[in-house]
Amino acid sequence: MVKMCVQEIKSSKIILFIIIITLKAFGNAVFVPEARAGHVAVIVGDQIYFMGGSRLIPATNPIKSPIRVYNLSDEVFSLSLLSQFSTSNPPYVDLSDTSARMKYGSEKGTAVFGGPNRKNVYLIGGVQQDLALLNKIDNNITVTSNQTLMIEEISKTYNASDQFIYFYQSDAEFWSYPQDQVGIPPTRRRSTSTIIDKNGIIYIFGGRTQIDTGSPTFTCYNDLYTFNTMLLSWQNINAVNAPLPQSHAAPVLLPNGKILYIGGVSQTQPGLVAELIDMKNISVFDTISLIWSYKHAVLRDNSITIQPRIAHTATLTSDNNEIIIIGGNSSKTLVIYSYLNRSNIN
């Protein structure tokens, strides 16, 4: 474990990969979700909900090829936190055969919990895939026997809807999207830095578009949008001094209304490769003054290096004094976790 003192800050962004293998007793049967990446997980009350993701196509499946490795998932399953369980045999519950099943295959979106009555999970952006259409393609021998044609046809299954935001009603186990939205949402993208405040305002920063979101040019963004879950209204916040376009930063909301963006990647212009952001350079957005600022974290132990990364998590501790950063994927190494002291970021 590593601790870092904070003195200044700068920006960030990137991706995450989690493998889940689960078991569920259901009579004499067991539920074993496939390993996956790019899914979302949200705690609602005493339940953790897992949604979507991408799954490896088995080697025995004839549709698998060097250009066709993954399929997206529309599954939803949950895990109760009411009692202790073995991590080698967690009692996951499959909800996919109910109205809880997602409307499309989904990955690399961002999920937050809140809204009216604090019962909704909001899924922001990400990659969508029409699995019904994909199934028809996979059963068409003319298509599956021609790799070029298959690529063209499968591209038509992505971005199945213009909706940028969906919500899951945990009490009714039902998916929908906000009706009568006011304002203009951001363009479709994935891997945004998204967080919700106590008033039900969702802050959506950055993100990226590329082939899997229907864009021929890899492009990162540095715009900031809010979605008011009470008023169902969108707002584009044009704050000066914004960071470089970026994706995959882990956002942390402080009690004083400031949002820290840690890690990820940034891009200087569309089409160029995105570079990993130094974990010590942190961008800060003040939701009250609507001003961007930057701080720099200094390592307490200079013998330890914190590698830049994507697909990590960053969580504020209950005493509001530290941020726990866990996991992630680095270009050089995989670092398990570190601590970031926020005493000087008020």
Side-chain angles (χ1 to χ4, degrees):
M1 298 185 184
V2 181
K3 291 198 173 184
M4 299 190 288
C5 290
V6 177
Q7 294 180 343
E8 276 185 33
I9 285 189
K10 256 191 172 180
S11 55
S12 350
K13 207 143 194 191
I14 240 173
I15 304 178
L16 170 61
F17 189 96
I18 302 177
I19 295 179
I20 305 172
I21 297 182
T22 61
L23 298 173
K24 170 211 164 190
F26 185 77
N28 294 322
V30 292
F31 169 55
V32 185
E34 299 171 64
R36 65 195 62 214
H39 56 289
V40 297
V42 181
I43 295 179
V44 180
D46 55 19
Q47 301 285 326
I48 303 179
Y49 289 90
F50 302 87
M51 303 167 174
S54 59
R55 304 167 300 179
L56 280 169
I57 299 173
T60 55
N61 193 322
I63 67 172
K64 184 169 184 177
S65 71
I67 62 168
R68 180 82 184 283
V69 180
Y70 300 95
N71 275 342
L72 299 195
S73 168
D74 59 358
E75 298 166 302
V76 176
F77 50 98
S78 64
L79 174 64
S80 174
L81 302 177
L82 285 176
S83 58
Q84 292 184 340
F85 54 83
S86 169
T87 55
S88 62
N89 187 29
Y92 285 84
V93 176
D94 185 11
L95 303 173
S96 300
D97 289 334
T98 69
S99 57
R101 184 179 288 274
M102 305 179 82
K103 292 182 176 294
Y104 305 99
S106 177
E107 71 164 345
K108 299 173 184 173
T110 311
V112 294
F113 170 69
N117 303 319
R118 290 190 58 78
K119 292 183 178 180
N120 295 338
V121 175
Y122 292 88
L123 178 63
I124 311 296
V127 180
Q128 293 179 349
Q129 188 172 37
D130 186 331
L131 298 185
L133 179 57
L134 180 64
N135 184 59
K136 291 181 180 179
I137 292 171
D138 288 341
N139 287 311
N140 187 329
I141 297 177
T142 302
V143 174
T144 57
S145 61
N146 184 319
Q147 294 290 287
T148 301
L149 181 58
M150 185 168 70
I151 293 174
E152 293 176 355
E153 290 299 308
I154 290 178
S155 67
K156 299 175 183 177
T157 68
Y158 286 102
N159 299 320
S161 167
D162 292 332
Q163 291 297 324
F164 187 78
I165 182 170
Y166 283 89
F167 66 91
Y168 175 74
Q169 296 170 271
S170 59
D171 54 344
E173 296 183 351
F174 180 77
W175 282 95
S176 184
Y177 60 86
Q179 302 285 342
D180 302 320
Q181 298 176 40
V182 178
I184 301 175
T187 56
R188 173 160 293 283
R189 62 192 67 174
R190 67 169 177 85
S191 308
T192 64
S193 298
T194 300
I195 200 163
I196 190 170
D197 69 12
K198 62 182 180 180
N199 298 315
I201 308 296
I202 301 175
Y203 290 83
I204 305 163
F205 173 64
R208 61 166 62 187
T209 57
Q210 51 194 87
I211 295 299
D212 58 7
T213 52
S215 173
T217 304
F218 167 42
T219 304
C220 288
Y221 298 87
N222 66 345
D223 46 14
L224 177 65
Y225 283 80
T226 61
F227 179 72
N228 187 317
T229 61
M230 307 299 176
L231 302 177
L232 304 183
S233 60
W234 289 97
Q235 181 180 1
N236 183 3
I237 299 178
N238 293 311
V240 299
N241 201 29
L244 283 173
Q246 58 187 252
S247 67
H248 294 97
V252 178
L253 178 63
L254 303 183
N256 60 9
K258 293 181 179 180
I259 304 174
L260 312 185
Y261 295 93
I262 304 170
V265 293
S266 65
Q267 184 186 50
T268 55
Q269 67 182 62
L272 296 184
V273 174
E275 300 291 340
L276 287 166
I277 296 170
D278 190 326
M279 295 291 285
K280 299 187 296 295
N281 294 334
I282 302 173
S283 302
V284 183
F285 180 73
D286 191 322
T287 62
I288 298 173
S289 66
L290 304 184
I291 293 175
W292 284 100
S293 61
Y294 303 90
K295 290 191 178 291
H296 184 77
V298 178
L299 290 174
R300 290 179 176 175
D301 185 345
N302 291 325
S303 66
I304 297 176
T305 300
I306 306 299
Q307 297 289 351
R309 69 198 68 193
I310 60 171
H312 53 293
T313 62
T315 306
L316 187 66
T317 56
S318 58
D319 61 5
N320 298 324
N321 287 324
E322 290 182 324
I323 297 167
I324 303 175
I325 303 167
I326 302 178
N329 187 5
S330 171
S331 61
K332 296 181 180 179
T333 185
L334 180 66
V335 183
I336 303 304
Y337 42 69
S338 60
Y339 280 87
L340 177 67
N341 187 294
R342 60 158 289 267
S343 58
N344 295 323
I345 310 182
N346 292 321

